[in-house]
């Protein structure tokens, strides 16, 4: 069975390939795609076949998907272009005769007002109309999304956010990647939609307390309202588009849209999800941003 992984030069896609290999899938049965084959050199060195493919080029996608049984469609990083790009990949997958697509979506994408949800909802609708089975993995937030916040907290002694008492049921990126690899390699949950989240959820105060413990020095949670947060970020030199997104995301968290810890992911993995503390410890130990 040939398994093709899109976006394999990115953080999530490369981890999916790593987990496929670690689960015993033969490297010759894995195709890794990306816009640049050169960026996939680490995988080709291990026997994985690399093929150039661009979400904006249907012909390249169809060629890359030829012979594919299961496609792991890692969502594009091009916010605002995702639905169109995913539509290209779905069209190409259908034309190539793919029988199963595993798609990485967002929490409760069909009903949520999360700022990122609409493009994922649109993609899920396209998948429902496609001539193949689709497994939708609605991934919650990654611990790694807070690496920069942790580094800033280490330097300043404070964690600033406009999330209020909102909680995030995050897990490590590798947990979500392993889940995708399991579903792709075993055909478990074929055709299902799974809400994947960490075993526990944390809020801003917990983030600061955990950072304090890991760093061995005080980190205080500095809660602010959305307007204040916006002005602080603009004052730090961020562009208006980025600031608008970050403030809206924190508002979503305050609304509880990334809450909802669950054992669905840990049950699929057969182990607990990776807690935020463990990911922070990795950064503090020298393999992350705060090493210097």
């Amino acid at each position: 069975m040939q398994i093709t992984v899109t976006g394999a030069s990115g953080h999530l896609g490369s981890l999916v390939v790593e987990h496929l290999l670690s689960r015993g899938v033969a490297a010759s049965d894995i195709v890794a795609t990306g816009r640049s084959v050169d960026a996939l050199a680490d995988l080709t060195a291990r026997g994985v076949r690399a093929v150039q493919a661009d979400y904006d080029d249907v012909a390249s996608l169809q060629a890359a998907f030829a012979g594919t049984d299961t496609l792991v469609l890692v969502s594009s990083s091009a916010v605002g272009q995702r639905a169109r790009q995913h539509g290209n990949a779905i069209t190409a997958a259908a034309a190539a005769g793919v029988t199963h697509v595993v798609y990485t979506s967002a929490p409760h994408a069909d009903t949520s007002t999360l700022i990122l949800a609409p493009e994922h909802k649109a993609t899920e609708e396209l998948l429902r109309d496609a001539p193949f089975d689709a497994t939708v993995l609605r991934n919650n937030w990654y611990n790694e999304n807070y690496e920069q916040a942790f580094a800033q907290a280490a330097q300043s002694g404070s964690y600033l956010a406009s999330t209020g008492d909102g909680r995030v049921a995050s897990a490590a990126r590798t947990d979500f990647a392993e889940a995708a690899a399991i579903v792709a390699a075993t055909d478990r949950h074929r055709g299902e939609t799974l809400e994947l989240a960490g075993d526990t959820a944390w809020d801003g105060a917990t983030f600061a307390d955990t950072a304090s413990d890991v760093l061995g020095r005080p980190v205080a949670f500095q809660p602010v309202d959305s307007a204040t947060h916006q002005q602080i970020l603009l004052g730090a030199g961020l562009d208006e588009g980025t600031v608008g997104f970050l403030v809206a995301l924190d508002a979503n968290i305050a609304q509880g849209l990334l809450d909802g810890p669950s054992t669905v992911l840990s049950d699929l993995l057969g182990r607990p999800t990776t807690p935020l503390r463990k990911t922070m410890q990795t950064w503090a130990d020298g393999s992350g941003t705060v090493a210097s």
Side-chain angles (χ1 to χ4, degrees), residues 130-164:
F132 46 69
D133 293 330
T135 301
V136 176
L137 305 180
R138 290 178 173 167
N139 294 349
N140 203 299
W141 228 226
Y142 305 147
N143 291 346
E144 288 82 359
N145 290 345
Y146 291 91
E147 183 174 4
Q148 184 176 2
F150 179 78
Q152 291 172 340
Q155 295 169 0
S156 68
S158 69
Y159 169 58
L160 184 146
S162 52
T163 52

PDB file of all heavy atoms in Angstrom, residues 130-164:
ATOM      1  N   ALA A 130     -16.378  13.894  -2.123  1.00  0.00           N
ATOM      2  CA  ALA A 130     -15.346  13.263  -2.947  1.00  0.00           C
ATOM      3  C   ALA A 130     -15.600  11.753  -3.096  1.00  0.00           C
ATOM      4  O   ALA A 130     -16.237  11.136  -2.242  1.00  0.00           O
ATOM      5  CB  ALA A 130     -13.971  13.507  -2.324  1.00  0.00           C
ATOM      6  N   PRO A 131     -15.072  11.148  -4.152  1.00  0.00           N
ATOM      7  CA  PRO A 131     -15.314   9.724  -4.424  1.00  0.00           C
ATOM      8  C   PRO A 131     -14.341   8.788  -3.711  1.00  0.00           C
ATOM      9  O   PRO A 131     -13.883   7.785  -4.276  1.00  0.00           O
ATOM     10  CB  PRO A 131     -15.137   9.652  -5.939  1.00  0.00           C
ATOM     11  CG  PRO A 131     -14.077  10.656  -6.229  1.00  0.00           C
ATOM     12  CD  PRO A 131     -14.346  11.798  -5.279  1.00  0.00           C
ATOM     13  N   PHE A 132     -13.997   9.091  -2.490  1.00  0.00           N
ATOM     14  CA  PHE A 132     -13.122   8.224  -1.698  1.00  0.00           C
ATOM     15  C   PHE A 132     -13.479   8.395  -0.230  1.00  0.00           C
ATOM     16  O   PHE A 132     -14.200   9.322   0.149  1.00  0.00           O
ATOM     17  CB  PHE A 132     -11.643   8.557  -1.933  1.00  0.00           C
ATOM     18  CG  PHE A 132     -11.312  10.034  -1.902  1.00  0.00           C
ATOM     19  CD1 PHE A 132     -11.378  10.771  -0.725  1.00  0.00           C
ATOM     20  CD2 PHE A 132     -10.923  10.689  -3.062  1.00  0.00           C
ATOM     21  CE1 PHE A 132     -11.077  12.121  -0.697  1.00  0.00           C
ATOM     22  CE2 PHE A 132     -10.617  12.040  -3.056  1.00  0.00           C
ATOM     23  CZ  PHE A 132     -10.696  12.759  -1.874  1.00  0.00           C
ATOM     24  N   ASP A 133     -12.996   7.476   0.601  1.00  0.00           N
ATOM     25  CA  ASP A 133     -13.206   7.595   2.045  1.00  0.00           C
ATOM     26  C   ASP A 133     -12.285   8.678   2.601  1.00  0.00           C
ATOM     27  O   ASP A 133     -11.152   8.839   2.130  1.00  0.00           O
ATOM     28  CB  ASP A 133     -12.886   6.270   2.754  1.00  0.00           C
ATOM     29  CG  ASP A 133     -13.860   5.167   2.390  1.00  0.00           C
ATOM     30  OD1 ASP A 133     -15.029   5.494   2.093  1.00  0.00           O
ATOM     31  OD2 ASP A 133     -13.455   3.999   2.402  1.00  0.00           O
ATOM     32  N   ALA A 134     -12.772   9.397   3.601  1.00  0.00           N
ATOM     33  CA  ALA A 134     -11.947  10.423   4.245  1.00  0.00           C
ATOM     34  C   ALA A 134     -12.025  10.270   5.759  1.00  0.00           C
ATOM     35  O   ALA A 134     -13.114  10.070   6.315  1.00  0.00           O
ATOM     36  CB  ALA A 134     -12.406  11.814   3.836  1.00  0.00           C
ATOM     37  N   THR A 135     -10.881  10.344   6.394  1.00  0.00           N
ATOM     38  CA  THR A 135     -10.813  10.412   7.850  1.00  0.00           C
ATOM     39  C   THR A 135     -10.373  11.821   8.206  1.00  0.00           C
ATOM     40  O   THR A 135      -9.315  12.277   7.743  1.00  0.00           O
ATOM     41  CB  THR A 135      -9.820   9.395   8.428  1.00  0.00           C
ATOM     42  OG1 THR A 135     -10.209   8.080   8.035  1.00  0.00           O
ATOM     43  CG2 THR A 135      -9.790   9.483   9.957  1.00  0.00           C
ATOM     44  N   VAL A 136     -11.175  12.503   8.996  1.00  0.00           N
ATOM     45  CA  VAL A 136     -10.884  13.883   9.374  1.00  0.00           C
ATOM     46  C   VAL A 136     -10.352  13.902  10.798  1.00  0.00           C
ATOM     47  O   VAL A 136     -11.039  13.463  11.730  1.00  0.00           O
ATOM     48  CB  VAL A 136     -12.131  14.772   9.252  1.00  0.00           C
ATOM     49  CG1 VAL A 136     -11.835  16.191   9.752  1.00  0.00           C
ATOM     50  CG2 VAL A 136     -12.619  14.809   7.803  1.00  0.00           C
ATOM     51  N   LEU A 137      -9.148  14.386  10.963  1.00  0.00           N
ATOM     52  CA  LEU A 137      -8.521  14.506  12.274  1.00  0.00           C
ATOM     53  C   LEU A 137      -8.557  15.977  12.676  1.00  0.00           C
ATOM     54  O   LEU A 137      -7.807  16.793  12.141  1.00  0.00           O
ATOM     55  CB  LEU A 137      -7.077  13.998  12.229  1.00  0.00           C
ATOM     56  CG  LEU A 137      -6.884  12.579  11.706  1.00  0.00           C
ATOM     57  CD1 LEU A 137      -5.401  12.209  11.712  1.00  0.00           C
ATOM     58  CD2 LEU A 137      -7.690  11.571  12.534  1.00  0.00           C
ATOM     59  N   ARG A 138      -9.442  16.291  13.590  1.00  0.00           N
ATOM     60  CA  ARG A 138      -9.594  17.681  14.022  1.00  0.00           C
ATOM     61  C   ARG A 138      -8.622  17.963  15.162  1.00  0.00           C
ATOM     62  O   ARG A 138      -8.938  17.809  16.334  1.00  0.00           O
ATOM     63  CB  ARG A 138     -11.046  17.943  14.431  1.00  0.00           C
ATOM     64  CG  ARG A 138     -12.002  17.944  13.243  1.00  0.00           C
ATOM     65  CD  ARG A 138     -13.435  18.148  13.671  1.00  0.00           C
ATOM     66  NE  ARG A 138     -14.344  18.310  12.542  1.00  0.00           N
ATOM     67  CZ  ARG A 138     -15.665  18.254  12.628  1.00  0.00           C
ATOM     68  NH1 ARG A 138     -16.236  18.046  13.813  1.00  0.00           N
ATOM     69  NH2 ARG A 138     -16.423  18.402  11.560  1.00  0.00           N
ATOM     70  N   ASN A 139      -7.435  18.399  14.779  1.00  0.00           N
ATOM     71  CA  ASN A 139      -6.349  18.610  15.732  1.00  0.00           C
ATOM     72  C   ASN A 139      -6.546  19.881  16.543  1.00  0.00           C
ATOM     73  O   ASN A 139      -6.758  20.960  15.980  1.00  0.00           O
ATOM     74  CB  ASN A 139      -5.010  18.701  15.009  1.00  0.00           C
ATOM     75  CG  ASN A 139      -4.614  17.405  14.337  1.00  0.00           C
ATOM     76  OD1 ASN A 139      -5.221  16.362  14.567  1.00  0.00           O
ATOM     77  ND2 ASN A 139      -3.605  17.467  13.495  1.00  0.00           N
ATOM     78  N   ASN A 140      -6.426  19.752  17.853  1.00  0.00           N
ATOM     79  CA  ASN A 140      -6.380  20.930  18.723  1.00  0.00           C
ATOM     80  C   ASN A 140      -5.012  21.593  18.572  1.00  0.00           C
ATOM     81  O   ASN A 140      -4.217  21.229  17.706  1.00  0.00           O
ATOM     82  CB  ASN A 140      -6.684  20.541  20.170  1.00  0.00           C
ATOM     83  CG  ASN A 140      -7.203  21.697  21.004  1.00  0.00           C
ATOM     84  OD1 ASN A 140      -6.533  22.701  21.183  1.00  0.00           O
ATOM     85  ND2 ASN A 140      -8.411  21.552  21.529  1.00  0.00           N
ATOM     86  N   TRP A 141      -4.706  22.512  19.454  1.00  0.00           N
ATOM     87  CA  TRP A 141      -3.481  23.318  19.355  1.00  0.00           C
ATOM     88  C   TRP A 141      -2.253  22.500  19.706  1.00  0.00           C
ATOM     89  O   TRP A 141      -2.304  21.574  20.503  1.00  0.00           O
ATOM     90  CB  TRP A 141      -3.606  24.505  20.299  1.00  0.00           C
ATOM     91  CG  TRP A 141      -3.256  25.828  19.697  1.00  0.00           C
ATOM     92  CD1 TRP A 141      -2.467  26.787  20.256  1.00  0.00           C
ATOM     93  CD2 TRP A 141      -3.707  26.378  18.453  1.00  0.00           C
ATOM     94  NE1 TRP A 141      -2.392  27.890  19.433  1.00  0.00           N
ATOM     95  CE2 TRP A 141      -3.144  27.658  18.314  1.00  0.00           C
ATOM     96  CE3 TRP A 141      -4.527  25.901  17.431  1.00  0.00           C
ATOM     97  CZ2 TRP A 141      -3.363  28.469  17.214  1.00  0.00           C
ATOM     98  CZ3 TRP A 141      -4.752  26.706  16.329  1.00  0.00           C
ATOM     99  CH2 TRP A 141      -4.177  27.968  16.235  1.00  0.00           C
ATOM    100  N   TYR A 142      -1.113  22.876  19.109  1.00  0.00           N
ATOM    101  CA  TYR A 142       0.159  22.220  19.409  1.00  0.00           C
ATOM    102  C   TYR A 142       0.856  22.940  20.561  1.00  0.00           C
ATOM    103  O   TYR A 142       0.892  24.178  20.590  1.00  0.00           O
ATOM    104  CB  TYR A 142       1.096  22.249  18.193  1.00  0.00           C
ATOM    105  CG  TYR A 142       0.523  21.676  16.924  1.00  0.00           C
ATOM    106  CD1 TYR A 142       0.878  22.201  15.689  1.00  0.00           C
ATOM    107  CD2 TYR A 142      -0.374  20.607  16.954  1.00  0.00           C
ATOM    108  CE1 TYR A 142       0.361  21.690  14.513  1.00  0.00           C
ATOM    109  CE2 TYR A 142      -0.901  20.083  15.790  1.00  0.00           C
ATOM    110  CZ  TYR A 142      -0.530  20.629  14.572  1.00  0.00           C
ATOM    111  OH  TYR A 142      -1.047  20.118  13.402  1.00  0.00           O
ATOM    112  N   ASN A 143       1.477  22.169  21.455  1.00  0.00           N
ATOM    113  CA  ASN A 143       2.316  22.784  22.487  1.00  0.00           C
ATOM    114  C   ASN A 143       3.346  23.711  21.858  1.00  0.00           C
ATOM    115  O   ASN A 143       3.645  24.791  22.383  1.00  0.00           O
ATOM    116  CB  ASN A 143       3.067  21.698  23.274  1.00  0.00           C
ATOM    117  CG  ASN A 143       2.173  20.847  24.133  1.00  0.00           C
ATOM    118  OD1 ASN A 143       1.012  21.169  24.380  1.00  0.00           O
ATOM    119  ND2 ASN A 143       2.692  19.714  24.601  1.00  0.00           N
ATOM    120  N   GLU A 144       3.888  23.277  20.720  1.00  0.00           N
ATOM    121  CA  GLU A 144       4.975  24.012  20.076  1.00  0.00           C
ATOM    122  C   GLU A 144       4.564  25.400  19.607  1.00  0.00           C
ATOM    123  O   GLU A 144       5.435  26.237  19.329  1.00  0.00           O
ATOM    124  CB  GLU A 144       5.516  23.204  18.891  1.00  0.00           C
ATOM    125  CG  GLU A 144       6.321  21.984  19.281  1.00  0.00           C
ATOM    126  CD  GLU A 144       5.461  20.776  19.630  1.00  0.00           C
ATOM    127  OE1 GLU A 144       4.207  20.893  19.590  1.00  0.00           O
ATOM    128  OE2 GLU A 144       6.033  19.725  19.960  1.00  0.00           O
ATOM    129  N   ASN A 145       3.274  25.657  19.505  1.00  0.00           N
ATOM    130  CA  ASN A 145       2.828  26.995  19.124  1.00  0.00           C
ATOM    131  C   ASN A 145       3.205  28.044  20.163  1.00  0.00           C
ATOM    132  O   ASN A 145       3.123  29.245  19.891  1.00  0.00           O
ATOM    133  CB  ASN A 145       1.309  27.013  18.931  1.00  0.00           C
ATOM    134  CG  ASN A 145       0.866  26.239  17.702  1.00  0.00           C
ATOM    135  OD1 ASN A 145       1.664  25.909  16.843  1.00  0.00           O
ATOM    136  ND2 ASN A 145      -0.417  25.925  17.624  1.00  0.00           N
ATOM    137  N   TYR A 146       3.630  27.595  21.334  1.00  0.00           N
ATOM    138  CA  TYR A 146       3.945  28.523  22.428  1.00  0.00           C
ATOM    139  C   TYR A 146       5.440  28.594  22.723  1.00  0.00           C
ATOM    140  O   TYR A 146       5.841  29.108  23.762  1.00  0.00           O
ATOM    141  CB  TYR A 146       3.159  28.123  23.682  1.00  0.00           C
ATOM    142  CG  TYR A 146       1.682  28.372  23.496  1.00  0.00           C
ATOM    143  CD1 TYR A 146       0.858  27.378  22.984  1.00  0.00           C
ATOM    144  CD2 TYR A 146       1.122  29.619  23.763  1.00  0.00           C
ATOM    145  CE1 TYR A 146      -0.491  27.616  22.756  1.00  0.00           C
ATOM    146  CE2 TYR A 146      -0.222  29.862  23.545  1.00  0.00           C
ATOM    147  CZ  TYR A 146      -1.020  28.866  23.043  1.00  0.00           C
ATOM    148  OH  TYR A 146      -2.349  29.108  22.806  1.00  0.00           O
ATOM    149  N   GLU A 147       6.240  28.120  21.794  1.00  0.00           N
ATOM    150  CA  GLU A 147       7.693  28.162  22.023  1.00  0.00           C
ATOM    151  C   GLU A 147       8.183  29.601  22.147  1.00  0.00           C
ATOM    152  O   GLU A 147       8.986  29.932  23.030  1.00  0.00           O
ATOM    153  CB  GLU A 147       8.437  27.445  20.900  1.00  0.00           C
ATOM    154  CG  GLU A 147       9.937  27.387  21.130  1.00  0.00           C
ATOM    155  CD  GLU A 147      10.660  26.546  20.096  1.00  0.00           C
ATOM    156  OE1 GLU A 147      10.009  26.066  19.145  1.00  0.00           O
ATOM    157  OE2 GLU A 147      11.891  26.381  20.246  1.00  0.00           O
ATOM    158  N   GLN A 148       7.720  30.481  21.264  1.00  0.00           N
ATOM    159  CA  GLN A 148       8.156  31.875  21.328  1.00  0.00           C
ATOM    160  C   GLN A 148       7.653  32.543  22.607  1.00  0.00           C
ATOM    161  O   GLN A 148       8.380  33.317  23.238  1.00  0.00           O
ATOM    162  CB  GLN A 148       7.672  32.642  20.101  1.00  0.00           C
ATOM    163  CG  GLN A 148       8.177  34.082  20.066  1.00  0.00           C
ATOM    164  CD  GLN A 148       7.779  34.800  18.792  1.00  0.00           C
ATOM    165  OE1 GLN A 148       7.100  34.259  17.931  1.00  0.00           O
ATOM    166  NE2 GLN A 148       8.219  36.048  18.656  1.00  0.00           N
ATOM    167  N   ALA A 149       6.418  32.225  23.002  1.00  0.00           N
ATOM    168  CA  ALA A 149       5.871  32.799  24.238  1.00  0.00           C
ATOM    169  C   ALA A 149       6.694  32.356  25.438  1.00  0.00           C
ATOM    170  O   ALA A 149       6.937  33.138  26.370  1.00  0.00           O
ATOM    171  CB  ALA A 149       4.414  32.383  24.411  1.00  0.00           C
ATOM    172  N   PHE A 150       7.134  31.101  25.411  1.00  0.00           N
ATOM    173  CA  PHE A 150       7.969  30.585  26.499  1.00  0.00           C
ATOM    174  C   PHE A 150       9.307  31.307  26.535  1.00  0.00           C
ATOM    175  O   PHE A 150       9.805  31.685  27.606  1.00  0.00           O
ATOM    176  CB  PHE A 150       8.161  29.080  26.327  1.00  0.00           C
ATOM    177  CG  PHE A 150       9.019  28.446  27.383  1.00  0.00           C
ATOM    178  CD1 PHE A 150       8.517  28.175  28.652  1.00  0.00           C
ATOM    179  CD2 PHE A 150      10.343  28.107  27.119  1.00  0.00           C
ATOM    180  CE1 PHE A 150       9.311  27.582  29.629  1.00  0.00           C
ATOM    181  CE2 PHE A 150      11.135  27.520  28.080  1.00  0.00           C
ATOM    182  CZ  PHE A 150      10.619  27.262  29.347  1.00  0.00           C
ATOM    183  N   ALA A 151       9.901  31.513  25.355  1.00  0.00           N
ATOM    184  CA  ALA A 151      11.183  32.207  25.291  1.00  0.00           C
ATOM    185  C   ALA A 151      11.053  33.636  25.804  1.00  0.00           C
ATOM    186  O   ALA A 151      11.926  34.132  26.539  1.00  0.00           O
ATOM    187  CB  ALA A 151      11.705  32.202  23.853  1.00  0.00           C
ATOM    188  N   GLN A 152       9.958  34.303  25.428  1.00  0.00           N
ATOM    189  CA  GLN A 152       9.735  35.666  25.895  1.00  0.00           C
ATOM    190  C   GLN A 152       9.511  35.702  27.401  1.00  0.00           C
ATOM    191  O   GLN A 152       9.987  36.607  28.098  1.00  0.00           O
ATOM    192  CB  GLN A 152       8.544  36.274  25.157  1.00  0.00           C
ATOM    193  CG  GLN A 152       8.813  36.539  23.685  1.00  0.00           C
ATOM    194  CD  GLN A 152       7.577  36.958  22.921  1.00  0.00           C
ATOM    195  OE1 GLN A 152       6.452  36.725  23.349  1.00  0.00           O
ATOM    196  NE2 GLN A 152       7.771  37.574  21.756  1.00  0.00           N
ATOM    197  N   ALA A 153       8.794  34.696  27.914  1.00  0.00           N
ATOM    198  CA  ALA A 153       8.571  34.622  29.354  1.00  0.00           C
ATOM    199  C   ALA A 153       9.883  34.405  30.104  1.00  0.00           C
ATOM    200  O   ALA A 153      10.100  34.959  31.186  1.00  0.00           O
ATOM    201  CB  ALA A 153       7.587  33.500  29.669  1.00  0.00           C
ATOM    202  N   ALA A 154      10.761  33.607  29.506  1.00  0.00           N
ATOM    203  CA  ALA A 154      12.059  33.349  30.134  1.00  0.00           C
ATOM    204  C   ALA A 154      12.883  34.631  30.220  1.00  0.00           C
ATOM    205  O   ALA A 154      13.627  34.850  31.183  1.00  0.00           O
ATOM    206  CB  ALA A 154      12.815  32.285  29.340  1.00  0.00           C
ATOM    207  N   GLN A 155      12.746  35.489  29.223  1.00  0.00           N
ATOM    208  CA  GLN A 155      13.520  36.725  29.186  1.00  0.00           C
ATOM    209  C   GLN A 155      12.898  37.834  30.034  1.00  0.00           C
ATOM    210  O   GLN A 155      13.604  38.601  30.688  1.00  0.00           O
ATOM    211  CB  GLN A 155      13.652  37.192  27.741  1.00  0.00           C
ATOM    212  CG  GLN A 155      14.459  36.255  26.866  1.00  0.00           C
ATOM    213  CD  GLN A 155      14.363  36.585  25.378  1.00  0.00           C
ATOM    214  OE1 GLN A 155      13.682  37.536  25.002  1.00  0.00           O
ATOM    215  NE2 GLN A 155      15.032  35.808  24.550  1.00  0.00           N
ATOM    216  N   SER A 156      11.558  37.908  30.014  1.00  0.00           N
ATOM    217  CA  SER A 156      10.886  39.040  30.661  1.00  0.00           C
ATOM    218  C   SER A 156      10.322  38.727  32.040  1.00  0.00           C
ATOM    219  O   SER A 156      10.035  39.645  32.819  1.00  0.00           O
ATOM    220  CB  SER A 156       9.736  39.527  29.767  1.00  0.00           C
ATOM    221  OG  SER A 156       8.704  38.547  29.701  1.00  0.00           O
ATOM    222  N   GLY A 157      10.122  37.442  32.306  1.00  0.00           N
ATOM    223  CA  GLY A 157       9.527  37.069  33.593  1.00  0.00           C
ATOM    224  C   GLY A 157       8.016  37.205  33.608  1.00  0.00           C
ATOM    225  O   GLY A 157       7.402  37.153  34.679  1.00  0.00           O
ATOM    226  N   SER A 158       7.393  37.364  32.422  1.00  0.00           N
ATOM    227  CA  SER A 158       5.936  37.458  32.380  1.00  0.00           C
ATOM    228  C   SER A 158       5.397  36.820  31.106  1.00  0.00           C
ATOM    229  O   SER A 158       6.081  36.761  30.082  1.00  0.00           O
ATOM    230  CB  SER A 158       5.470  38.911  32.468  1.00  0.00           C
ATOM    231  OG  SER A 158       5.813  39.623  31.298  1.00  0.00           O
ATOM    232  N   TYR A 159       4.154  36.339  31.203  1.00  0.00           N
ATOM    233  CA  TYR A 159       3.450  35.782  30.052  1.00  0.00           C
ATOM    234  C   TYR A 159       2.208  36.628  29.848  1.00  0.00           C
ATOM    235  O   TYR A 159       1.293  36.622  30.667  1.00  0.00           O
ATOM    236  CB  TYR A 159       3.077  34.316  30.295  1.00  0.00           C
ATOM    237  CG  TYR A 159       2.130  33.747  29.263  1.00  0.00           C
ATOM    238  CD1 TYR A 159       2.464  33.734  27.916  1.00  0.00           C
ATOM    239  CD2 TYR A 159       0.888  33.226  29.648  1.00  0.00           C
ATOM    240  CE1 TYR A 159       1.588  33.218  26.969  1.00  0.00           C
ATOM    241  CE2 TYR A 159       0.010  32.707  28.705  1.00  0.00           C
ATOM    242  CZ  TYR A 159       0.371  32.697  27.369  1.00  0.00           C
ATOM    243  OH  TYR A 159      -0.503  32.193  26.430  1.00  0.00           O
ATOM    244  N   LEU A 160       2.195  37.384  28.766  1.00  0.00           N
ATOM    245  CA  LEU A 160       1.099  38.305  28.486  1.00  0.00           C
ATOM    246  C   LEU A 160       0.161  37.689  27.459  1.00  0.00           C
ATOM    247  O   LEU A 160       0.592  37.187  26.429  1.00  0.00           O
ATOM    248  CB  LEU A 160       1.654  39.629  27.966  1.00  0.00           C
ATOM    249  CG  LEU A 160       0.646  40.759  27.719  1.00  0.00           C
ATOM    250  CD1 LEU A 160       1.280  42.107  28.036  1.00  0.00           C
ATOM    251  CD2 LEU A 160       0.146  40.743  26.260  1.00  0.00           C
ATOM    252  N   ALA A 161      -1.155  37.737  27.760  1.00  0.00           N
ATOM    253  CA  ALA A 161      -2.150  37.209  26.834  1.00  0.00           C
ATOM    254  C   ALA A 161      -3.503  37.820  27.147  1.00  0.00           C
ATOM    255  O   ALA A 161      -3.751  38.292  28.261  1.00  0.00           O
ATOM    256  CB  ALA A 161      -2.219  35.687  26.941  1.00  0.00           C
ATOM    257  N   SER A 162      -4.383  37.809  26.147  1.00  0.00           N
ATOM    258  CA  SER A 162      -5.752  38.287  26.347  1.00  0.00           C
ATOM    259  C   SER A 162      -6.733  37.119  26.292  1.00  0.00           C
ATOM    260  O   SER A 162      -7.816  37.219  25.736  1.00  0.00           O
ATOM    261  CB  SER A 162      -6.108  39.345  25.294  1.00  0.00           C
ATOM    262  OG  SER A 162      -5.846  38.886  23.980  1.00  0.00           O
ATOM    263  N   THR A 163      -6.322  36.002  26.890  1.00  0.00           N
ATOM    264  CA  THR A 163      -7.115  34.777  26.878  1.00  0.00           C
ATOM    265  C   THR A 163      -8.050  34.647  28.074  1.00  0.00           C
ATOM    266  O   THR A 163      -8.838  33.708  28.145  1.00  0.00           O
ATOM    267  CB  THR A 163      -6.190  33.548  26.858  1.00  0.00           C
ATOM    268  OG1 THR A 163      -5.233  33.670  27.924  1.00  0.00           O
ATOM    269  CG2 THR A 163      -5.449  33.452  25.531  1.00  0.00           C
ATOM    270  N   GLY A 164      -7.960  35.581  29.015  1.00  0.00           N
ATOM    271  CA  GLY A 164      -8.799  35.506  30.206  1.00  0.00           C
ATOM    272  C   GLY A 164      -8.588  34.200  30.948  1.00  0.00           C
ATOM    273  O   GLY A 164      -7.452  33.779  31.177  1.00  0.00           O
TER     274      GLY A 164
END
